[in-house]
């Protein structure tokens, strides 16, 4: 069979023959006939060695999830292929527990591309931040694929105010259509950016922050919430750190933590299966209703080398075997 095969850490995968997957000794494995697999930043990070979960035997097939059908014809979204197999192949092998039925009215591109960022955004807001209806939300990095979904999902979960911050002004201009009540450009100088966070937070401030960028934008937000006097705390801020597209590290003054009711947390890896399944079902249901959408572009797997090196610019490239 043909697949997108990685031969070395930090290299670009090649379209070539790879051995067929075979169900192993483990109970519950199934063969998936792949119809589409999205090309995500995490796929590139795993291949480059920059992700904490990087590693494993080489050569191996790239891709962590996708959409396909089982031997009995059932159409499913799948994740967790058993190495060295991956999603970017004509066939792969996965635990049956990591296959999820998808509605027939959802096209392959959406079914392959939306669950990963959609579930990520849902879990960050509902499971980690525990967003409560009526709270205010700030999305740092709202112009990326996952950030745009987070804006919409925050509204679906009942946020009373959603402020979207990003570096792509053209994309920022479209976020009001997704439910953003205001936007902030992350290209502002640090002092002006902090002032914008204070202004758009209003008197009640933000109760939830979802951060896809880290680095200087995060520092500007933390500076904005640092109090310079003793004052009664109105509400806690739950800051969920998801990505590091601006920088992998920040400077965190002690005064930030001592003067505000701030909780900084990460996404904490993979949650329990029941939490993951519930999030998946919610996201897919909204997608089937047309309430959640994602920009996609079909790319033949034979063109994987060019696709791998392209700037995805706010959309998901979907690899078609």
């Amino acid at each position: 069979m043909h697949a997108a095969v990685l031969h070395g850490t930090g290299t670009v995968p090649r379209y070539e023959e790879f051995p067929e997957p075979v169900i192993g000794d483990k109970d519950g494995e199934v063969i998936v006939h792949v119809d589409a697999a999205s090309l995500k930043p995490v796929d590139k990070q795993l291949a480059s060695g920059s992700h904490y979960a990087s590693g494993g035997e080489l050569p191996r097939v790239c891709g962590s999830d996708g959409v396909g059908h089982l031997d009995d014809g059932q159409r499913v979204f799948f994740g967790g292929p058993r190495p060295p197999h991956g999603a970017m192949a004509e066939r792969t092998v996965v635990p049956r527990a990591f296959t999820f039925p998808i509605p027939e009215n959802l096209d392959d591109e959406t079914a392959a591309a939306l669950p990963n960022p959609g579930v990520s955004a849902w879990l960050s807001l509902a499971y980690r931040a525990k967003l409560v209806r009526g709270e205010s939300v700030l999305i740092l990095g709202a112009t990326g694929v996952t950030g745009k979904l987070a804006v919409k999902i925050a509204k679906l979960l009942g946020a009373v105010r959603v402020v979207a911050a990003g570096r792509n002004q053209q994309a920022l201009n479209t976020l009001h259509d997704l439910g953003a009540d205001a936007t902030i450009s992350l290209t502002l100088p640090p002092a002006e950016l902090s002032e914008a966070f204070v202004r758009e937070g209003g008197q009640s401030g933000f109760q939830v922050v979802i951060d896809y960028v880290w680095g200087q934008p995060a520092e500007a937000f933390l500076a904005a919430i640092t109090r310079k006097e003793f004052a009664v705390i109105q509400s806690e801020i739950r800051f969920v750190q998801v990505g590091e597209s601006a920088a992998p590290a920040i400077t965190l003054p002690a005064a930030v933590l001592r003067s505000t009711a701030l909780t900084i947390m990460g996404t904490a890896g993979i949650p329990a299966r029941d939490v993951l399944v519930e999030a998946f079902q919610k996201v897919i249901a909204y997608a089937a209703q047309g309430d959640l959408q994602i920009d996609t572009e079909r790319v033949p797997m034979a063109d994987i080398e060019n696709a791998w090196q392209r700037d995805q610019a706010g959309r998901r490239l979907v690899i078609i075997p």
Side-chain angles (χ1 to χ4, degrees):
M1 69 169 186
H2 285 96
V5 183
L6 184 74
H7 286 270
T9 301
T11 63
V12 175
R14 303 199 299 258
Y15 177 70
E16 60 186 36
E17 290 283 343
F18 197 78
E20 289 277 355
V22 177
I23 294 176
D25 295 332
K26 295 181 179 180
D27 293 334
E29 285 191 337
V30 292
I31 299 296
V32 177
H33 304 265
V34 182
D35 296 317
S38 67
L39 174 52
K40 305 172 294 300
V42 68
D43 296 319
K44 295 183 179 182
Q45 292 165 6
L46 287 166
S48 70
S50 63
H51 193 276
Y52 66 84
S54 298
E57 62 184 286
L58 292 168
R60 66 176 181 268
V61 177
C62 294
S64 53
D65 53 40
V67 63
H69 57 278
L70 306 181
D71 286 337
D72 62 5
Q74 183 182 21
R75 189 165 175 254
V76 297
F77 177 82
F78 67 88
R82 171 165 52 80
H85 297 283
M88 296 180 190
E90 293 180 277
R91 284 166 292 281
T92 192
V93 58
V94 304
R96 181 178 288 276
F98 291 175
T99 63
F100 307 91
I102 51 176
E104 289 301 325
N105 68 326
L106 209 58
D107 61 86
D108 283 344
E109 290 83 3
T110 300
L114 191 140
N116 184 285
V119 169
S120 172
W122 187 281
L123 290 173
S124 295
L125 286 158
Y127 175 66
R128 294 299 289 158
K130 293 180 170 55
L131 173 62
V132 175
R133 185 172 293 276
E135 291 186 318
S136 293
V137 177
L138 171 65
I139 310 294
L140 297 176
T143 55
V145 170
T146 311
K148 288 192 286 187
L149 287 167
V151 170
K152 182 65 176 181
I153 289 172
K155 279 296 187 178
L156 291 172
L157 288 170
V160 69
R161 180 170 172 79
V162 177
V163 175
R167 290 168 286 189
N168 184 329
Q169 188 60 51
Q170 183 177 1
L172 273 179
N173 294 338
T174 69
L175 296 184
H176 292 285
D177 296 336
L178 297 179
D181 297 286
T183 61
I184 297 173
S185 173
L186 293 180
T187 62
L188 291 171
E192 292 182 34
L193 183 56
S194 292
E195 291 172 2
F197 288 140
V198 172
R199 181 178 64 253
E200 297 301 345
Q203 187 173 359
S204 63
F206 298 104
Q207 289 73 58
V208 171
V209 180
I210 307 297
D211 170 44
Y212 296 102
V213 294
W214 206 228
Q216 188 273 323
E219 291 179 343
F221 173 76
L222 295 174
I225 64 172
T226 303
R227 296 177 180 271
K228 296 177 174 57
E229 72 283 330
F230 293 110
V232 176
I233 300 298
Q234 299 297 321
S235 63
E236 179 190 16
I237 302 170
R238 286 103 68 199
F239 188 111
V240 183
Q241 210 298 302
V242 187
E244 54 183 61
S245 62
I250 67 168
T251 297
L252 178 61
V256 178
L257 301 177
R258 296 207 311 271
S259 69
T260 64
L262 172 69
T263 298
I264 300 177
M265 66 192 86
T267 50
I270 301 174
R273 176 175 166 77
D274 59 337
V275 174
L276 188 63
V277 169
E278 180 183 12
F280 176 84
Q281 291 173 341
K282 294 283 190 181
V283 166
I284 289 299
Y286 279 119
Q289 296 167 13
D291 292 322
L292 284 178
Q293 300 174 341
I294 186 169
D295 293 329
T296 62
E297 178 184 340
R298 291 171 61 97
V299 178
M301 191 165 65
D303 197 29
I304 186 63
E305 292 185 49
N306 290 329
W308 195 267
Q309 299 173 82
R310 284 176 51 189
D311 180 2
Q312 299 182 35
R315 66 173 56 189
R316 278 286 190 263
L317 302 184
V318 179
I319 308 302
I320 308 298

